[in-house]
Amino acid sequence: VQLQASGGGLVQAGGSLRVSCAVSGRTFRMNSVGWFRQAPGKEREFVAAISWSGSMTYYADSVKGRFTISRDNAKSTVNLQMNNLKPEDTDVYYCAARPRWDTYRTMSAIDAYDYWGQGTQVTVSS
Protein backbone atom coordinates (compact mmCIF):
# COMPACT_ATOMS: atom_id res chain seq x y z
CA VAL A 1 0.00 0.00 0.00
CA GLN A 2 1.36 3.40 -1.01
CA LEU A 3 0.00 6.74 0.17
CA GLN A 4 0.48 10.15 -1.43
CA ALA A 5 -0.64 13.29 0.39
CA SER A 6 -1.36 16.50 -1.50
CA GLY A 7 -3.28 19.75 -1.31
CA GLY A 8 -1.35 21.66 1.30
CA GLY A 9 -0.63 25.35 0.96
CA LEU A 10 -0.82 28.78 2.51
CA VAL A 11 -4.10 30.18 3.78
CA GLN A 12 -5.17 33.02 6.03
CA ALA A 13 -6.64 32.38 9.45
CA GLY A 14 -10.35 31.63 9.16
CA GLY A 15 -9.91 30.19 5.69
CA SER A 16 -10.34 26.67 4.38
CA LEU A 17 -8.13 24.09 2.76
CA ARG A 18 -8.53 20.48 1.71
CA VAL A 19 -5.74 17.94 1.80
CA SER A 20 -6.08 14.60 0.05
CA CYS A 21 -4.47 11.20 0.41
CA ALA A 22 -4.31 8.98 -2.66
CA VAL A 23 -3.98 5.35 -1.69
CA SER A 24 -2.76 2.78 -4.17
CA GLY A 25 -2.85 -0.94 -3.76
CA ARG A 26 -5.64 -3.43 -4.26
CA THR A 27 -6.53 -3.48 -0.57
CA PHE A 28 -7.51 0.20 -0.33
CA ARG A 29 -11.12 -0.62 0.42
CA MET A 30 -10.06 -2.65 3.44
CA ASN A 31 -7.84 -0.02 4.99
CA SER A 32 -8.72 2.46 7.67
CA VAL A 33 -6.94 5.77 7.15
CA GLY A 34 -5.78 8.39 9.59
CA TRP A 35 -4.41 11.91 9.33
CA PHE A 36 -1.66 13.14 11.61
CA ARG A 37 0.28 16.38 11.79
CA GLN A 38 3.67 17.45 13.03
CA ALA A 39 5.40 20.74 13.65
CA PRO A 40 9.20 21.08 13.74
CA GLY A 41 10.54 19.90 17.06
CA LYS A 42 7.22 18.51 18.18
CA GLU A 43 5.72 15.05 18.31
CA ARG A 44 3.43 13.89 15.56
CA GLU A 45 -0.18 14.14 16.70
CA PHE A 46 -3.44 12.56 15.66
CA VAL A 47 -5.96 14.62 13.71
CA ALA A 48 -8.69 12.33 12.38
CA ALA A 49 -9.38 8.79 11.18
CA ILE A 50 -11.98 7.06 9.03
CA SER A 51 -13.00 3.42 8.74
CA TRP A 52 -12.78 1.50 5.47
CA SER A 53 -16.52 1.90 4.91
CA GLY A 54 -16.49 5.59 5.80
CA SER A 55 -19.24 5.06 8.34
CA MET A 56 -17.05 5.64 11.39
CA THR A 57 -14.78 8.56 12.17
CA TYR A 58 -12.71 9.93 15.03
CA TYR A 59 -11.43 13.45 15.54
CA ALA A 60 -8.97 15.06 17.90
CA ASP A 61 -10.67 17.56 20.20
CA SER A 62 -8.58 20.38 18.74
CA VAL A 63 -10.15 19.98 15.29
CA LYS A 64 -13.63 18.71 16.11
CA GLY A 65 -16.27 20.84 14.45
CA ARG A 66 -13.77 22.40 12.05
CA PHE A 67 -12.27 19.44 10.15
CA THR A 68 -14.14 16.74 8.25
CA ILE A 69 -12.61 13.48 7.05
CA SER A 70 -14.20 11.60 4.16
CA ARG A 71 -13.28 8.96 1.65
CA ASP A 72 -14.11 8.15 -1.95
CA ASN A 73 -13.45 4.47 -2.46
CA ALA A 74 -14.10 4.74 -6.20
CA LYS A 75 -11.19 7.18 -6.44
CA SER A 76 -9.12 5.55 -3.69
CA THR A 77 -8.75 8.84 -1.87
CA VAL A 78 -9.28 10.12 1.64
CA ASN A 79 -9.88 13.83 2.08
CA LEU A 80 -9.50 16.12 5.04
CA GLN A 81 -11.56 19.28 4.70
CA MET A 82 -10.23 21.94 7.06
CA ASN A 83 -12.39 24.97 7.82
CA ASN A 84 -11.93 27.93 10.12
CA LEU A 85 -8.19 27.33 10.12
CA LYS A 86 -6.06 28.78 12.90
CA PRO A 87 -2.34 29.62 12.97
CA GLU A 88 -1.85 26.71 15.37
CA ASP A 89 -3.02 24.35 12.59
CA THR A 90 0.24 25.09 10.77
CA ASP A 91 1.99 21.73 10.43
CA VAL A 92 3.08 19.07 8.01
CA TYR A 93 0.10 16.76 7.51
CA TYR A 94 0.61 13.02 7.01
CA CYS A 95 -1.82 10.26 6.07
CA ALA A 96 -1.43 6.68 7.21
CA ALA A 97 -3.26 3.38 6.75
CA ARG A 98 -3.87 0.22 8.73
CA PRO A 99 -5.98 -2.88 7.97
CA ARG A 100 -8.58 -2.70 10.73
CA TRP A 101 -10.72 -0.13 12.47
CA ASP A 102 -10.29 0.01 16.21
CA THR A 103 -10.87 2.11 19.30
CA TYR A 104 -10.01 5.81 19.45
CA ARG A 105 -7.01 4.97 21.58
CA THR A 106 -5.63 2.68 18.89
CA MET A 107 -6.59 4.79 15.88
CA SER A 108 -4.92 7.85 17.41
CA ALA A 109 -1.63 6.05 18.04
CA ILE A 110 1.23 6.54 15.59
CA ASP A 111 2.56 3.02 16.00
CA ALA A 112 -0.82 1.49 15.13
CA TYR A 113 -0.38 2.30 11.44
CA ASP A 114 1.44 0.13 8.94
CA TYR A 115 1.80 2.49 6.01
CA TRP A 116 2.64 6.19 5.82
CA GLY A 117 2.71 8.76 3.07
CA GLN A 118 4.99 11.74 2.75
CA GLY A 119 3.69 14.92 4.32
CA THR A 120 2.11 18.00 2.85
CA GLN A 121 2.73 21.43 4.36
CA VAL A 122 -0.19 23.49 5.63
CA THR A 123 0.59 27.05 6.69
CA VAL A 124 -2.01 29.33 8.27
CA SER A 125 -1.09 32.98 8.51
CA SER A 126 -2.55 35.25 11.17
Side-chain angles (χ1 to χ4, degrees):
V1 178
Q2 290 84 42
L3 298 94
Q4 179 86 24
S6 63
L10 173 65
V11 64
Q12 288 187 332
S16 298
L17 203 62
R18 187 178 77 168
V19 290
S20 296
C21 180
V23 184
S24 60
R26 60 183 179 90
T27 59
F28 169 73
R29 290 177 180 268
M30 303 304 294
N31 275 283
S32 295
V33 175
W35 280 98
F36 291 75
R37 63 187 183 184
Q38 187 172 22
K42 294 188 177 181
E43 293 186 355
R44 192 167 296 189
E45 65 175 14
F46 172 74
V47 177
I50 190 166
S51 63
W52 69 269
S53 67
S55 62
M56 292 177 284
T57 57
Y58 292 135
Y59 294 93
D61 287 342
S62 58
V63 306
K64 206 172 289 184
R66 300 188 299 122
F67 290 12
T68 302
I69 190 171
S70 63
R71 67 189 295 158
D72 184 340
N73 284 345
K75 296 182 179 180
S76 298
T77 58
V78 174
N79 300 309
L80 184 68
Q81 177 67 40
M82 304 181 290
N83 298 328
N84 191 22
L85 282 160
K86 304 175 181 180
E88 51 264 42
D89 294 318
T90 295
D91 275 317
V92 177
Y93 284 71
Y94 299 88
C95 57
R98 68 187 304 272
R100 287 188 296 274
W101 185 250
D102 212 306
T103 63
Y104 179 91
R105 182 174 181 176
T106 296
M107 297 304 297
S108 62
I110 296 170
D111 59 5
Y113 289 81
D114 300 306
Y115 309 100
W116 288 84
Q118 94 296 350
T120 185
Q121 176 71 48
V122 172
T123 302
V124 184
S125 63
S126 57

